[in-house]
Amino acid sequence: MTLPTIALAAGAGILGGAMNALAGGGSFATLPALIALGLPANTANATSNVALLPGAGTSAWAFRHELAPIGGVGLRALVSITFVGGLAGSALLALTPSHVFDLVIPWLLLFAFLVIAFGKAAADALRRRVAIGTRTLIVAQGLLGIYGGYFGGGVGLMTTAVYGLLAGVSPRALFAPRTLMLAVANAAAAIVFIAVGLVAWSACLPMLAGGMLGGWGGAHIGKRLPASVVRGWTLFVTAVTTGVFFWRAYG
């Protein structure tokens, strides 16, 4: 690691931490940076997860006074489900060969982009037609935990869409529970990634420091920034990242 590469890792961490605090999708900033530094895709994903964990924690702490149950399900239950799902998803990633993950990751990014772009409209349309109870919310939370542990790209945005659909909660009211679930999923995944040696610490540490700064700053900015600005920026970053990874895997 040279001074420029350290600066790249730290800068990507700042941007990723801020994005996670604002709307999710922080890995769209950190993952390409780590790939550019020469890390294999699965190692880059694991390193990104660990690097963004403290930032997610600082964001969750900043929103702690706004925490409340979601759709009749208590926070302790949601946290427990997310943690177990995160362990399962990260174990699955550890078992996925790097060349296979290279082919899978563009489709995960595309899925995240579609959720960002159309998730709210789809959720609103579905909610007008069906009534969904707490059991469905619990199952959905488990799937979000698994996805967060395996990849995590856009999981905060997916959580916003799922909670809006299943619990009828507004995006602004979801800042606190969404950042908490993101932190829990990252923490569970970090345990597995560190245990199996998937983390590149030379890149992780400067990115981790940047992520803490970005997470703290993003949480405070998020209380003032218009939602349309946050969404537009997130869509732009996600679209560019998705295109780059498709070109990288199939170009």
Side-chain angles (χ1 to χ4, degrees):
M1 294 289 286
T2 63
L3 186 59
T5 58
I6 291 173
L8 173 62
I14 292 173
L15 181 58
M19 288 177 65
N20 274 346
L22 292 169
S27 58
F28 295 122
T30 56
L31 189 58
L34 292 168
I35 295 289
L37 292 176
L39 297 182
N42 55 354
T43 301
N45 188 59
T47 302
S48 170
N49 180 291
V50 174
L52 290 176
L53 173 58
T58 56
S59 298
W61 179 258
F63 288 122
R64 66 191 183 280
H65 298 302
E66 301 179 24
L67 290 170
I70 300 294
V73 181
L75 282 176
R76 289 186 180 181
L78 291 173
V79 165
S80 299
I81 294 165
T82 303
F83 187 81
V84 173
L87 289 176
S90 55
L92 181 60
L93 176 67
L95 296 172
T96 302
S98 181
H99 69 279
V100 174
F101 192 69
D102 281 337
L103 299 176
V104 171
I105 194 172
W107 298 101
L108 296 174
L109 289 167
L110 178 61
F111 175 66
F113 174 77
L114 293 174
V115 170
I116 299 167
F118 305 109
K120 184 180 184 303
D124 291 343
L126 186 58
R127 191 168 58 246
R128 287 193 296 267
R129 292 168 173 79
V130 297
I132 304 174
T134 57
R135 291 183 180 179
T136 306
L137 177 59
I138 290 171
V139 172
Q141 188 63 54
L143 294 175
L144 287 170
I146 293 171
Y147 178 82
Y150 183 77
F151 175 55
V155 68
L157 301 151
M158 293 177 191
T159 301
T160 298
V162 168
Y163 285 179
L165 169 63
L166 303 184
V169 184
S170 69
R172 176 60 187 86
L174 291 175
F175 273 8
R178 187 196 65 232
T179 52
L180 176 61
M181 297 308 148
L182 179 65
V184 169
N186 280 9
I191 294 173
V192 175
F193 294 152
I194 292 171
V196 300
L198 263 181
V199 180
W201 289 106
S202 59
C204 181
L205 293 178
M207 185 170 283
L208 186 151
M212 291 180 66
L213 179 61
W216 180 84
H220 290 281
I221 294 172
K223 297 177 181 180
R224 303 174 179 84
L225 205 61
S228 59
V229 174
V230 175
R231 185 175 185 274
W233 168 254
T234 305
L235 274 171
F236 172 75
V237 173
T238 308
V240 171
T241 305
T242 301
V244 168
F245 273 86
F246 264 106
W247 176 83
R248 177 175 176 269
Y250 299 99

